Amino acid sequence: MQIIDTPVVPTGSKKSVEAVAPQRGKFIWGGRGIRYLLVAPSVILILSFTIFPILYLFWISFLDWTFQRRERPFIGLGNYIQVLQDTRMWEALGHTLFIMVVAVSAELILGLLLAQVLVGKLPGKQILIPLLILPTIMCPVVVGYGWRMLWDTQYGPINEVLGWILGHPVNLVWLINPKTVYFSLIVAEVWQWTPFMFLALLAGLSAINPELYEAAALDGATAWQTFWHMTLPLIRPIMIIALIIRSLDVFKIFDLIFALTVGGPGTFTETITFYIYTLGFKNFRLGYTAAMAFIVLILVSTATTLFLRRFSEE
């Protein structure tokens, strides 16, 4: 049997460098290096499509750029000062927050009620759940135009059904009357997105161990005490995540406003995203629009960060 002795290479010599070189090649092509090389194009592409638009938006927010002039003079913080003094922006922000609070609260309550009913054994549950989530997969513009037909004063079935119930013709102008327009908007929004809240809360309720309910029943807890002191705390993390997702989604509501009211009557239902769209794509005030979009981005990011930090501390 022949024994081959491995030569000892002194550190720092030419032979030691030649011995290390294959190890480096192995790191690049056979170890972590090849993983980084394979992932790098995707990372560069994602960063290009996320970081670059934000930087470009930040740059043009310092320009007095409109399509009516060829020049784009640098005006520093001029656009930001004008935006902060824009009363219409604050009104649009108020409309958005009102829709967000009312709609998300209604979706949470209705979704929780549905989840409570369907979490147990119920005949036809396998058919009922897919039917309930159908509105969620519909395009919001389609939902908006569908509800516009339902709310129609002359030919809409809602006025027709109300006329049958009340015994006389009903001619409510749902989408123009300031007293009914928000109700009409929020009903359409809640109809489409309550199923999302229902699915999230149903998943949370299904994950609760049934033995906990048996223990609560043995201790003499009532149904309300079990729900309030056991069920709600257990599904609270899922509930908060669902609330954050829906709140951010409602904050950028645009399609439904565009299809149902176009921000009217007047600017009564104009949301912040619809106002930004009007400034940018109808008035072509690009620098001013960029400054407003950047301020809204900062406000939303700050609010979300504070909320998540508060939630993580608890």
Side-chain angles (χ1 to χ4, degrees):
M1 182 176 178
Q2 186 179 1
I3 299 175
I4 301 174
D5 295 331
T6 304
V8 178
V9 181
T11 306
S13 66
K14 184 179 178 181
K15 288 185 177 181
S16 69
V17 174
E18 292 174 352
V20 170
Q23 297 296 326
R24 289 178 179 170
K26 184 180 179 182
F27 173 76
I28 293 174
W29 299 110
R32 293 182 179 178
I34 189 64
R35 301 176 192 172
Y36 295 145
L37 284 175
L38 291 174
V39 172
S42 303
V43 173
I44 292 171
L45 201 64
I46 292 170
L47 289 177
S48 302
F49 282 105
T50 54
I51 302 299
F52 175 73
I54 294 174
L55 294 177
Y56 188 68
L57 181 76
F58 187 62
W59 164 243
I60 65 175
S61 68
F62 296 106
L63 306 178
D64 185 12
W65 184 3
T66 67
F67 280 177
Q68 297 172 354
R69 293 195 308 268
R70 183 173 296 179
E71 298 80 15
R72 305 172 188 174
F74 182 82
I75 58 171
L77 296 175
N79 283 326
Y80 287 93
I81 295 171
Q82 289 182 41
V83 167
L84 293 174
Q85 295 173 347
D86 190 344
T87 54
R88 189 171 166 182
M89 185 201 78
W90 295 111
E91 288 175 2
L93 207 55
H95 300 158
T96 308
L97 292 175
F98 175 74
I99 295 173
M100 185 179 75
V101 170
V102 177
V104 174
S105 302
E107 289 167 16
L108 176 66
I109 295 169
L110 293 175
L112 186 58
L113 286 174
L114 280 173
Q116 277 287 113
V117 171
L118 292 177
V119 71
K121 294 180 180 178
L122 192 71
K125 181 179 172 180
Q126 290 79 7
I127 300 173
L128 196 57
I129 291 178
L131 290 176
L132 282 173
I133 64 173
L134 277 180
T136 308
I137 62 176
M138 293 175 68
C139 176
V141 173
V142 175
V143 172
Y145 281 112
W147 275 97
R148 188 170 182 168
M149 294 173 65
L150 293 173
W151 293 122
D152 187 79
T153 306
Q154 190 172 2
Y155 304 106
I158 293 176
N159 275 349
E160 189 73 20
V161 171
L162 287 176
W164 294 341
I165 295 171
L166 297 176
H168 59 80
V170 174
N171 294 312
L172 278 174
V173 188
W174 294 94
L175 299 177
I176 297 178
N177 191 337
K179 294 180 180 177
T180 57
V181 66
Y182 272 108
F183 174 77
S184 311
L185 265 176
I186 290 170
V187 166
E189 175 71 18
V190 169
W191 176 82
Q192 183 176 20
W193 292 110
T194 294
F196 169 81
M197 200 69 82
F198 155 69
L199 278 181
L201 297 176
L202 182 65
L205 290 174
S206 302
I208 297 176
N209 190 344
E211 293 179 357
L212 294 176
Y213 289 108
E214 294 173 5
L218 289 174
D219 289 339
T222 62
W224 173 252
Q225 288 172 333
T226 305
F227 174 75
W228 188 256
H229 295 289
M230 195 181 76
T231 305
L232 277 185
L234 288 174
I235 63 170
R236 186 170 172 272
I238 292 179
M239 194 186 296
I240 289 177
I241 296 297
L243 281 174
I244 292 174
I245 293 173
R246 283 302 304 138
S247 299
L248 290 174
D249 199 30
V250 176
F251 189 85
K252 56 186 177 63
I253 184 173
F254 176 82
D255 317 60
L256 204 61
I257 302 293
F258 184 84
L260 273 178
T261 66
V262 201
T267 58
F268 198 68
T269 58
E270 187 177 62
T271 56
I272 189 65
T273 50
F274 195 83
Y275 184 38
I276 290 174
Y277 158 78
T278 304
L279 287 171
F281 293 95
K282 288 188 174 179
N283 301 338
F284 302 112
R285 299 176 62 186
L286 299 186
Y288 188 81
T289 306
M292 186 177 292
F294 210 80
I295 287 175
V296 172
L297 179 66
I298 292 172
L299 288 175
V300 174
S301 302
T302 306
T304 307
T305 304
L306 290 175
F307 189 80
L308 286 175
R309 183 176 296 176
R310 174 75 180 273
F311 171 62
S312 60
E313 287 175 355
E314 291 180 359

XYZ file of all heavy atoms in Angstrom, residues 166-222:
446
model
N -92.236 50.749 0.367
C -92.906 51.934 0.917
C -94.281 52.182 0.304
O -95.066 52.985 0.815
C -92.009 53.166 0.709
C -90.655 53.123 1.425
C -89.808 54.336 1.066
C -90.842 53.056 2.941
N -94.548 51.558 -0.837
C -95.866 51.714 -1.442
C -96.005 52.952 -2.296
O -97.128 53.312 -2.704
N -94.902 53.642 -2.587
C -94.963 54.804 -3.491
C -93.610 54.936 -4.205
O -92.590 54.427 -3.717
C -95.295 56.078 -2.706
C -94.308 56.407 -1.634
N -93.102 57.023 -1.879
C -94.340 56.168 -0.290
C -92.446 57.179 -0.738
N -93.186 56.661 0.243
N -93.572 55.596 -5.331
C -92.314 55.692 -6.091
C -91.220 56.401 -5.283
O -91.482 57.363 -4.570
C -92.698 56.522 -7.329
C -94.170 56.387 -7.440
C -94.688 56.237 -6.041
N -90.004 55.878 -5.387
C -88.841 56.476 -4.717
C -87.861 56.953 -5.790
O -87.486 56.179 -6.676
C -88.150 55.445 -3.792
C -86.866 56.030 -3.217
C -89.077 55.024 -2.676
N -87.493 58.224 -5.720
C -86.592 58.798 -6.723
C -85.356 59.423 -6.053
O -85.008 60.569 -6.307
C -87.329 59.864 -7.547
C -88.439 59.262 -8.382
O -88.223 58.251 -9.064
N -89.622 59.846 -8.331
N -84.728 58.661 -5.190
C -83.527 59.172 -4.518
C -82.365 59.254 -5.502
O -82.101 58.321 -6.256
C -83.146 58.242 -3.368
C -83.898 58.425 -2.047
C -83.496 57.334 -1.065
C -83.593 59.789 -1.454
N -81.666 60.378 -5.471
C -80.475 60.546 -6.325
C -79.273 60.213 -5.449
O -78.645 61.088 -4.843
C -80.393 61.993 -6.871
C -79.268 62.098 -7.895
C -81.713 62.405 -7.489
N -78.950 58.950 -5.368
C -77.987 58.460 -4.395
C -76.592 59.058 -4.557
O -75.937 59.381 -3.562
C -77.886 56.934 -4.504
C -79.128 56.206 -4.120
C -80.126 55.785 -4.952
C -79.517 55.834 -2.791
N -81.115 55.165 -4.236
C -80.769 55.172 -2.906
C -78.957 55.977 -1.532
C -81.449 54.670 -1.807
C -79.630 55.464 -0.433
C -80.852 54.827 -0.568
N -76.127 59.192 -5.788
C -74.726 59.556 -6.019
C -74.503 61.059 -6.203
O -73.377 61.489 -6.445
C -74.203 58.805 -7.252
C -74.239 57.280 -7.130
C -73.771 56.632 -8.418
C -73.384 56.814 -5.952
N -75.551 61.855 -6.105
C -75.399 63.310 -6.239
C -75.801 64.019 -4.952
O -75.272 65.076 -4.622
C -76.235 63.826 -7.436
C -75.711 63.199 -8.728
C -76.176 65.339 -7.540
C -76.479 63.598 -9.962
N -76.712 63.440 -4.219
C -77.158 64.042 -2.964
C -76.052 63.914 -1.899
O -75.601 62.808 -1.602
C -78.422 63.326 -2.492
C -79.096 64.054 -1.344
O -78.449 64.821 -0.630
N -80.383 63.813 -1.177
N -75.602 65.037 -1.300
C -74.550 64.951 -0.266
C -74.931 64.094 0.940
O -74.052 63.585 1.637
C -74.358 66.415 0.148
C -74.852 67.217 -1.006
C -75.965 66.417 -1.615
N -76.241 63.914 1.189
C -76.670 63.127 2.353
C -76.575 61.626 2.104
O -76.564 60.833 3.048
C -78.119 63.489 2.718
C -78.278 64.921 3.200
C -79.734 65.207 3.537
C -79.908 66.645 4.012
N -81.326 66.979 4.280
N -76.545 61.203 0.850
C -76.550 59.767 0.556
C -75.302 59.289 -0.180
O -75.094 58.075 -0.292
C -77.783 59.409 -0.305
O -77.745 60.206 -1.507
C -79.061 59.672 0.440
N -74.475 60.206 -0.673
C -73.379 59.772 -1.537
C -72.332 58.962 -0.767
O -71.814 57.952 -1.271
C -72.752 61.002 -2.241
C -72.060 61.930 -1.253
C -71.777 60.545 -3.313
N -72.027 59.364 0.473
C -71.039 58.597 1.242
C -71.582 57.220 1.615
O -70.842 56.237 1.614
C -70.616 59.364 2.495
C -69.452 60.288 2.246
C -69.623 61.654 2.207
C -68.184 59.765 2.027
C -68.552 62.491 1.959
C -67.114 60.592 1.773
C -67.295 61.963 1.743
O -66.230 62.782 1.485
N -72.865 57.171 1.921
C -73.476 55.874 2.226
C -73.356 54.935 1.027
O -72.986 53.759 1.172
C -74.955 56.084 2.608
C -75.722 54.819 2.811
C -75.580 54.085 3.984
C -76.566 54.333 1.813
C -76.275 52.900 4.162
C -77.254 53.153 1.988
C -77.116 52.429 3.161
N -73.623 55.469 -0.162
C -73.546 54.656 -1.375
C -72.115 54.161 -1.614
O -71.895 52.993 -1.954
C -74.009 55.473 -2.584
O -75.226 56.107 -2.319
N -71.142 55.051 -1.431
C -69.735 54.681 -1.626
C -69.302 53.590 -0.653
O -68.679 52.594 -1.036
C -68.854 55.914 -1.411
C -68.443 56.734 -2.619
C -67.672 57.956 -2.163
C -67.598 55.894 -3.559
N -69.634 53.805 0.605
C -69.150 52.887 1.646
C -69.830 51.525 1.528
O -69.194 50.492 1.772
C -69.357 53.530 3.040
C -68.379 54.703 3.195
C -69.141 52.528 4.154
C -68.615 55.564 4.398
N -71.098 51.499 1.125
C -71.778 50.209 0.919
C -71.062 49.402 -0.162
O -70.815 48.200 -0.015
C -73.258 50.443 0.546
C -73.886 49.172 -0.014
C -74.045 50.891 1.764
N -70.708 50.064 -1.263
C -70.006 49.356 -2.339
C -68.635 48.862 -1.875
O -68.228 47.732 -2.185
C -69.854 50.282 -3.547
N -67.921 49.694 -1.128
C -66.586 49.312 -0.631
C -66.688 48.130 0.355
O -65.916 47.169 0.269
C -65.949 50.532 0.052
C -64.619 50.275 0.718
C -63.493 50.036 -0.264
O -63.663 50.391 -1.444
O -62.472 49.470 0.140
N -67.652 48.216 1.267
C -67.813 47.163 2.270
C -68.256 45.858 1.602
O -67.805 44.773 1.963
C -68.829 47.614 3.340
C -69.218 46.459 4.252
C -68.237 48.748 4.167
N -69.133 45.964 0.612
C -69.610 44.765 -0.094
C -68.448 44.011 -0.736
O -68.390 42.779 -0.691
C -70.616 45.173 -1.168
C -71.100 44.030 -2.004
C -72.076 43.144 -1.691
C -70.602 43.636 -3.285
N -72.235 42.226 -2.701
C -71.340 42.502 -3.691
C -69.617 44.133 -4.145
C -71.115 41.863 -4.910
C -69.395 43.494 -5.348
C -70.133 42.369 -5.721
N -67.499 44.753 -1.306
C -66.411 44.058 -1.999
C -65.363 43.486 -1.042
O -64.841 42.389 -1.275
C -65.715 45.013 -2.984
C -64.632 44.280 -3.776
C -63.965 45.117 -4.814
O -64.019 46.346 -4.753
N -63.327 44.482 -5.772
N -65.044 44.202 0.059
C -63.868 43.810 0.840
C -64.164 43.169 2.183
O -63.242 42.764 2.879
C -62.953 45.023 1.024
C -62.362 45.430 -0.275
C -62.642 46.547 -1.003
C -61.400 44.691 -1.049
N -61.927 46.569 -2.167
C -61.146 45.443 -2.216
C -60.733 43.481 -0.873
C -60.260 45.010 -3.198
C -59.856 43.046 -1.844
C -59.627 43.803 -2.987
N -65.440 43.077 2.574
C -65.748 42.318 3.795
C -65.297 40.855 3.693
O -64.808 40.284 4.678
C -67.256 42.405 4.100
O -67.571 43.763 4.428
C -67.632 41.523 5.283
N -65.431 40.203 2.532
C -64.958 38.811 2.442
C -63.475 38.637 2.765
O -63.084 37.594 3.311
C -65.241 38.443 0.982
C -66.380 39.305 0.597
C -66.167 40.584 1.320
N -62.645 39.640 2.446
C -61.220 39.525 2.798
C -61.052 39.461 4.315
O -60.314 38.623 4.852
C -60.458 40.736 2.233
C -59.057 40.850 2.747
C -58.031 40.097 2.190
C -58.756 41.699 3.806
C -56.735 40.185 2.670
C -57.471 41.797 4.300
C -56.450 41.032 3.731
N -61.759 40.369 5.013
C -61.688 40.373 6.473
C -62.254 39.065 7.035
O -61.716 38.500 8.002
C -62.477 41.570 7.008
C -62.134 41.998 8.393
S -60.502 42.739 8.555
C -60.827 44.414 8.034
N -63.316 38.582 6.427
C -63.937 37.328 6.861
C -62.956 36.162 6.749
O -62.817 35.357 7.681
C -65.190 37.090 6.010
C -65.592 35.659 5.894
C -66.082 34.961 6.978
C -65.467 34.991 4.671
C -66.445 33.627 6.856
C -65.818 33.671 4.548
C -66.302 32.976 5.642
N -62.240 36.061 5.638
C -61.294 34.964 5.438
C -60.156 35.019 6.454
O -59.751 33.991 7.026
C -60.721 35.014 4.026
C -61.560 34.402 2.912
C -60.831 34.504 1.591
C -61.877 32.950 3.224
N -59.621 36.227 6.677
C -58.507 36.376 7.625
C -58.940 35.974 9.038
O -58.231 35.232 9.744
C -58.002 37.808 7.612
N -60.124 36.444 9.452
C -60.587 36.139 10.807
C -61.037 34.683 10.940
O -60.874 34.072 12.006
C -61.742 37.073 11.185
C -61.343 38.552 11.221
C -62.553 39.424 11.491
C -60.268 38.785 12.272
N -61.559 34.111 9.854
C -61.939 32.699 9.885
C -60.696 31.821 10.098
O -60.744 30.835 10.847
C -62.639 32.317 8.584
C -63.135 30.873 8.479
C -64.230 30.621 9.500
C -63.638 30.573 7.063
N -59.590 32.199 9.464
C -58.342 31.455 9.660
C -57.881 31.546 11.117
O -57.426 30.552 11.708
C -57.262 32.000 8.732
N -58.019 32.743 11.705
C -57.630 32.910 13.105
C -58.506 32.114 14.053
O -58.015 31.462 14.984
N -59.820 32.132 13.804
C -60.749 31.393 14.672
C -60.548 29.884 14.537
O -60.659 29.140 15.522
C -62.186 31.762 14.315
C -62.632 33.184 14.683
C -64.019 33.468 14.137
C -62.616 33.371 16.189
N -60.254 29.424 13.329
C -60.070 27.978 13.115
C -58.818 27.456 13.814
O -58.718 26.259 14.103
C -59.978 27.679 11.612
O -61.134 28.126 10.946
N -57.845 28.368 14.065
C -56.583 27.935 14.681
C -56.664 27.841 16.205
O -55.736 27.349 16.849
C -55.468 28.905 14.290
N -57.773 28.309 16.800
C -57.902 28.243 18.264
C -58.176 26.807 18.703
O -59.040 26.129 18.120
C -59.032 29.179 18.747
C -58.694 30.636 18.414
C -59.251 29.037 20.248
C -59.795 31.612 18.767
N -57.479 26.372 19.697
C -57.640 25.005 20.207
C -59.030 24.837 20.843
O -59.392 25.572 21.770
C -56.558 24.734 21.260
C -56.498 23.283 21.646
O -57.420 22.513 21.371
N -55.407 22.893 22.275
N -59.845 23.865 20.396
C -61.199 23.673 20.969
C -61.180 23.345 22.459
O -62.172 23.586 23.158
C -61.753 22.493 20.159
C -60.934 22.434 18.919
C -59.590 22.960 19.278
N -60.052 22.796 22.939
C -59.984 22.454 24.368
C -60.088 23.697 25.256
O -60.536 23.615 26.401
C -58.686 21.710 24.658
C -58.620 20.332 23.997
C -57.313 19.627 24.282
O -56.451 20.247 24.943
O -57.147 18.474 23.839
N -59.678 24.846 24.717
C -59.789 26.089 25.486
C -61.260 26.441 25.730
O -61.626 26.896 26.817
C -59.081 27.230 24.750
C -57.567 27.096 24.612
C -57.012 28.229 23.778
C -56.920 27.112 26.009
N -62.096 26.232 24.697
C -63.520 26.500 24.861
C -64.143 25.524 25.870
O -65.011 25.901 26.659
C -64.229 26.384 23.510
C -63.904 27.514 22.572
C -63.089 27.306 21.477
C -64.403 28.791 22.780
C -62.787 28.342 20.608
C -64.109 29.836 21.931
C -63.294 29.603 20.843
O -62.989 30.629 20.002
N -63.698 24.247 25.827
C -64.220 23.272 26.783
C -63.837 23.654 28.210
O -64.649 23.544 29.144
C -63.667 21.887 26.444
C -64.158 21.352 25.099
C -63.456 20.063 24.714
O -62.671 19.550 25.538
O -63.683 19.575 23.594
N -62.594 24.134 28.382
C -62.145 24.559 29.717
C -62.938 25.764 30.204
O -63.318 25.847 31.378
C -60.657 24.879 29.673
N -63.211 26.710 29.280
C -63.985 27.904 29.660
C -65.412 27.508 30.054
O -65.974 28.061 31.004
C -63.998 28.893 28.494
N -65.992 26.538 29.313
C -67.355 26.090 29.643
C -67.400 25.402 31.005
O -68.343 25.585 31.781
C -67.857 25.146 28.545
N -66.352 24.611 31.299
C -66.295 23.942 32.609
C -66.165 24.944 33.743
O -66.671 24.728 34.855
C -65.120 22.958 32.640
C -65.276 21.705 31.785
C -63.987 20.893 31.792
C -66.447 20.849 32.290
N -65.476 26.076 33.465
C -65.325 27.122 34.486
C -66.575 27.979 34.633
O -66.603 28.900 35.463
C -64.138 28.011 34.139
C -62.821 27.271 34.333
O -62.820 26.269 35.079
O -61.802 27.688 33.739
N -67.593 27.721 33.790
C -68.853 28.459 33.915
C -68.877 29.779 33.179
O -69.736 30.635 33.459
N -67.960 29.978 32.215
C -67.938 31.241 31.455
C -69.112 31.291 30.488
O -69.461 30.276 29.865
C -66.626 31.358 30.680
N -69.733 32.443 30.368
C -70.826 32.617 29.410
C -70.241 32.773 28.004
O -69.021 32.934 27.824
C -71.656 33.853 29.766
O -70.801 35.017 29.680
C -72.208 33.757 31.181
